[in-house]
Amino acid sequence: MFQLDTFIIQGHQKVIDHYRWLRDTAGSEAERERFQRRMVEEYEALKRYTESRSDGTRRAA
């Protein structure tokens, strides 16, 4: 299961990095804001995933 967790977390991080790159190279302020919002949404999804996994680990112990 840890390999799957690592894969999912790395996937979230890759998406966040991609949105960061898009934000930093955006041609307009509207694009930068849109990519920033998407990056925050992805970060929050990653946070929810890691919190749910740590809750499950505590319950299993």
Side-chain angles (χ1 to χ4, degrees):
M1 188 57 117
F2 293 115
Q3 289 178 340
L4 178 60
D5 289 338
T6 300
F7 178 75
I8 291 171
I9 290 168
Q10 287 175 343
H12 280 290
Q13 290 171 337
K14 186 174 182 178
V15 170
I16 291 168
D17 288 344
H18 184 68
Y19 280 129
R20 183 175 293 120
W21 178 82
L22 289 170
R23 180 200 62 193
D24 293 346
T25 60
S28 71
E29 187 61 30
E31 285 181 321
R32 278 188 284 280
E33 289 174 4
R34 186 179 76 216
F35 293 132
Q36 178 66 32
R37 279 192 308 272
R38 296 296 303 260
M39 195 170 68
V40 168
E41 290 170 4
E42 190 66 27
Y43 175 77
E44 289 171 353
L46 172 58
K47 185 177 173 184
R48 282 191 307 272
Y49 178 78
T50 56
E51 287 173 351
S52 72
R53 297 305 295 160
S54 66
D55 288 346
T57 302
R58 277 185 262 162
R59 283 187 215 132

